[in-house]
Amino acid sequence: MVDVLVVGSGAAGLRTAIELHSLGIDCLVIGKCKMGNAHTSQATGGINAALGTLDRKDHWLIHAADTLKEGQFLADQKTIEILCREAPRAIRDLEEYGMRFHREKDGRITQRFFGAQLYRRACFFGDETGKELLRSLIAEAKKRDIKFHDNVYITKILKKGKRAVGLFGIDLRTGKFHTFKAKAIVLAMGGFSRVYRRSSSRLFENTGDGASLAFNAGAELIDMELVQFHPTGMVWPRDAEGILVTESVRGEGGKLYNGKGRRFMLKYPRAELGPRDEVARAIYDEIRRGRGTKHKGVWLDISHRPKKYIINRLPKMFKQFKQYLNIDISKQRMEVAPTSHYTMGGVRVNFPSMQTKVKGLFAVGEIIGGTHGGNRLGGNSLLECIVFGRHAGQAVAKFVKQNGFENISDDKVEAEKAKIKSLLGKKGNPEIMREEIQEIMWKYAGILRNKKGLETALRKINKLKNKSITVSGDMKNNEQLALLLNVKNMLVPCEAIITGALKRQESRGAHYRVDFPKASQRYQGNFIFDKKGISFIKAKRLRGKILKVLREIDDPITHHLE
Ligand code: FUM
């Protein structure tokens, strides 16, 4: 029994736990992987804050304007204002936890360009920003003696009436079942970009467990059709396919060339540093039209930078290409293509309390939807975890002070145990099902979408939903069972992505309908997906200073182009 259960040991979960601890609230952090291995460790390029180190004119309002514009005005203005106004404070919090940043000679934090941003705004630690951020959060959590439980796969949110009162899960190593009782639950379980074949996430993460858990408990999902395809992932060898090639390569001056040697991004206003959806579609288009490379990619070149500079600013990329392809990126080009990277959709919450529709259930980090709108600015993902993790901690602390524990029904626990046990049986192969799902999503609900393809995808996903599959072995250390749990969870977000994509008969941000290639006023809003079906809410009109700022910064940046 603990006041608060935080599910997820990445940036969002840990920042929430630290805030709870500061407010004297007892919590337990549960992770499905080993601590330190959460997806945050894979985040590379940076975390945004308008510090104005190198570009004095930067201001949080300009950061907010860039964010709203990138999201094609589907995000809520107030939410974005909180995110950007509080970004410098988030950086200060991280410094306090001991996070290291790249710094200028005078000690100020260095900032680099990311796509679609007017100024150099991303604070970074080489290209291993997420790893360093996670290290510092874990160190802080350990200093505070925050409790952790690793390798537990949560399969159900236990409710009493309409309130979430506990969790049920299985320890993946020991096979033991666990029932956790709490006054409040915070889901910080990541997104669902791994429902796609090519993804920057590793195979076991971002599989939609959080969205699925919350949905099954009665929470709403929002913006599910809005999936970000990062322009540059590795294309080969097979085991490296999809791995992120950080935007900071382009932020540091990297150029894109097609297979014929043409710098094709020059026809766009911001060239290589345009919005992610624009660059991803441009690359995809080159490849589709037969102007790609041998492995169906394009070239990304940073070799004009000195080797020392590359090793200093992009150490992970340097190692990554050496390790997989024995390529020295200070001399040779990288072969890249779009990869599914981030999901703008997810669990619907009230900002900034992060409370879902289910009483006692909160969510924070990539698991939630609606923060970024139609597309997310690079560098805003780590930021949202830190800013809204703090808010979540505060709101949850308030909640637990006003609400006690509730009893958990034994019947519900026994029913869940029986359900998990029923997954063991004759030999089955969840791997085939996973590949099938990922292929369907990549082919029919990927970068370019149309009605016919989406309908095919929905039919195929519904068929898989009805497929009963079991795995052999017992509960202990059963990788196949863990995989099966993941695969089952993938189906909820898949259905929601496709349903939203069918409804959104326009192209906006990361969602591109070949049969509706323009944005339409009619769809200036958000689709909500719940057990009753899908509904639409109009976006609120922008107000106040932000409008003035948006008008003023309407010029494409050119000063960073060499
Ligand atoms: O390319 C990158 O480094 C990604 C950063 C992000 O998605 O925020």
Side-chain angles (χ1 to χ4, degrees):
M1 216 159 68
V2 64
D3 280 343
V4 183
L5 294 165
V6 177
V7 192
S9 53
L14 292 179
R15 182 62 188 89
T16 306
I18 290 170
E19 193 65 18
L20 284 166
H21 179 270
S22 298
L23 298 167
I25 307 292
D26 189 25
C27 76
L28 171 68
V29 179
I30 302 172
K32 83 170 175 181
C33 62
K34 213 164 162 313
M35 205 205 339
N37 200 25
H39 181 64
T40 302
S41 64
Q42 304 300 300
T44 50
I47 171 167
N48 293 332
L51 302 181
T53 306
L54 301 173
D55 296 315
R56 296 266 164 131
K57 284 192 186 148
D58 202 10
H59 188 276
W60 72 261
L61 270 167
I62 303 177
H63 181 189
D66 281 351
T67 304
L68 285 164
K69 209 163 148 195
E70 174 82 351
Q72 300 266 312
F73 308 106
L74 293 189
D76 175 60
Q77 179 184 345
K78 274 199 182 139
T79 305
I80 297 304
E81 288 185 359
I82 295 171
L83 180 77
C84 302
R85 193 190 311 117
E86 295 184 10
R89 189 216 150 111
I91 301 294
R92 284 198 300 278
D93 286 349
L94 291 169
E95 285 183 291
E96 204 176 290
Y97 305 150
M99 179 168 172
R100 293 168 294 172
F101 287 98
H102 194 104
R103 290 182 188 268
E104 296 296 290
K105 285 202 178 80
D106 60 8
R108 289 173 309 145
I109 293 177
T110 306
Q111 300 190 274
R112 64 165 46 131
F113 272 118
F114 256 14
Q117 310 217 34
L118 192 61
Y119 294 117
R120 283 168 285 188
R121 189 178 288 142
C123 313
F124 59 94
F125 182 70
D127 55 358
E128 295 175 301
T129 312
K131 196 168 158 194
E132 173 59 13
L133 186 147
L134 191 60
R135 183 201 62 73
S136 65
L137 288 177
I138 291 174
E140 181 67 19
K142 282 192 169 162
K143 209 162 84 191
R144 292 166 182 253
D145 259 337
I146 291 173
K147 296 187 284 282
F148 285 89
H149 199 145
D150 284 352
N151 295 304
V152 173
Y153 201 114
I154 298 298
T155 62
K156 194 171 177 67
I157 293 168
L158 300 163
K159 286 172 70 183
K160 181 160 185 202
K162 292 194 168 165
R163 178 174 165 199
V165 294
L167 294 168
F168 181 87
I170 171 174
D171 187 314
L172 295 171
R173 287 160 313 178
T174 62
K176 264 175 81 178
F177 290 134
H178 287 279
T179 306
F180 303 95
K181 190 173 173 174
K183 293 179 189 165
I185 291 157
V186 183
L187 303 181
M189 303 165 71
F192 42 90
S193 55
R194 239 309 163 200
V195 302
Y196 288 88
R197 191 196 79 211
R198 182 185 289 163
S199 166
S200 58
S201 294
R202 293 168 296 187
L203 273 179
F204 196 56
E205 66 203 9
N206 287 324
T207 49
D209 323 349
S212 182
L213 261 186
F215 176 82
N216 289 332
E220 294 170 323
L221 305 179
I222 182 170
D223 287 348
M224 293 297 282
E225 70 281 12
L226 304 171
V227 177
Q228 178 170 87
F229 294 90
H230 192 289
T232 57
M234 289 182 77
V235 285
W236 79 294
R238 181 71 184 96
D239 60 339
E241 192 185 347
I243 293 180
L244 191 67
V245 179
T246 173
E247 190 160 295
S248 27
V249 176
R250 283 173 285 131
E252 298 289 357
K255 318 251 189 313
L256 289 163
Y257 297 91
N258 68 14
K260 301 200 181 300
R262 212 179 122 235
R263 200 170 152 209
F264 58 94
M265 285 311 298
L266 282 180
K267 59 178 181 266
Y268 296 89
R270 294 177 184 228
E272 279 84 358
L273 285 176
R276 282 188 176 169
D277 58 289
E278 183 180 278
V279 185
R281 273 196 302 277
I283 294 176
Y284 198 70
D285 211 45
E286 291 300 312
I287 300 165
R288 230 165 35 106
R289 292 178 194 279
R291 298 192 291 264
T293 57
K294 183 170 157 205
H295 299 98
K296 295 202 169 16
V298 294
W299 297 114
L300 175 59
D301 192 4
I302 185 80
S303 63
H304 55 285
R305 290 281 192 201
K307 187 167 183 165
K308 209 167 140 204
Y309 183 92
I310 293 173
I311 291 175
N312 185 17
R313 299 266 175 139
L314 303 163
K316 186 172 185 207
M317 293 306 108
F318 190 81
K319 282 181 256 166
Q320 191 167 299
F321 279 87
K322 253 275 165 284
Q323 178 198 333
Y324 283 105
L325 292 162
N326 199 23
I327 277 178
D328 175 349
I329 63 169
S330 71
K331 296 194 177 72
Q332 290 154 286
R333 301 173 298 184
M334 296 162 260
E335 219 172 339
V336 294
T339 181
S340 149
H341 179 58
Y342 183 89
T343 40
M344 275 74 72
V347 180
R348 189 178 184 206
V349 294
N350 271 322
F351 290 98
S353 74
M354 316 314 277
Q355 164 79 58
T356 70
K357 203 181 165 197
V358 179
K359 188 175 175 193
L361 184 66
F362 298 75
V364 62
E366 190 179 348
I367 184 176
I368 64 165
T371 319
H372 307 281
N375 209 355
R376 176 179 65 76
L377 273 186
N380 271 359
S381 169
L382 289 175
L383 178 63
E384 81 168 303
C385 297
I386 305 305
V387 168
F388 292 120
R390 186 170 77 90
H391 281 282
Q394 291 174 356
V396 173
K398 198 165 159 201
F399 181 89
V400 301
K401 283 177 186 156
Q402 292 163 354
N403 294 273
F405 288 103
E406 291 280 359
N407 284 336
I408 291 175
S409 138
D410 288 342
D411 289 353
K412 285 187 183 159
V413 171
E414 289 312 313
E416 187 60 14
K417 278 185 191 167
K419 201 168 129 200
I420 306 296
K421 283 181 185 162
S422 76
L423 298 177
L424 297 181
K426 306 196 293 307
K427 198 169 163 41
N429 195 342
E431 205 151 326
I432 293 180
M433 191 151 149
R434 175 180 66 196
E435 281 171 8
E436 228 174 305
I437 294 172
Q438 291 172 332
E439 195 57 45
I440 293 168
M441 295 306 286
W442 185 258
K443 190 163 168 192
Y444 300 113
I447 300 177
L448 304 184
R449 302 160 169 182
N450 64 45
K451 182 170 187 278
K452 193 161 163 248
L454 289 165
E455 283 172 349
T456 306
L458 194 57
R459 224 177 19 254
K460 286 177 182 276
I461 290 293
N462 279 333
K463 214 164 143 199
L464 289 176
K465 254 169 65 182
N466 297 324
K467 198 165 169 178
S468 137
I469 176 163
T470 54
V471 291
S472 60
D474 55 23
M475 295 288 168
K476 208 170 148 183
N477 267 328
N478 190 338
E479 278 182 18
Q480 291 293 296
L481 176 64
L483 177 56
L484 180 55
L485 291 169
N486 265 354
V487 166
K488 285 181 160 292
N489 281 328
M490 285 167 125
L491 293 168
V492 171
C494 286
E495 186 184 348
I497 292 171
I498 301 164
T499 310
L502 269 167
K503 286 276 178 195
R504 190 173 282 284
Q505 294 180 354
E506 65 160 357
S507 290
R508 187 189 291 271
H511 167 74
Y512 195 88
R513 286 278 302 255
V514 189
D515 42 355
F516 296 99
K518 294 225 160 69
S520 153
Q521 271 296 326
R522 199 171 150 200
Y523 296 106
Q524 177 88 33
N526 313 80
F527 282 103
I528 316 289
F529 188 79
D530 64 14
K531 286 188 178 166
K532 290 189 272 188
I534 189 158
S535 53
F536 182 74
I537 46 162
K538 269 275 192 208
K540 287 193 202 122
R541 280 173 169 261
L542 298 178
R543 295 176 306 276
K545 283 190 192 149
I546 202 88
L547 280 174
K548 189 167 167 271
V549 174
L550 272 162
R551 282 190 198 112
E552 276 169 7
I553 63 165
D554 210 24
D555 291 332
I557 46 168
T558 49
H559 56 274
H560 65 281
L561 297 176
E562 287 160 32

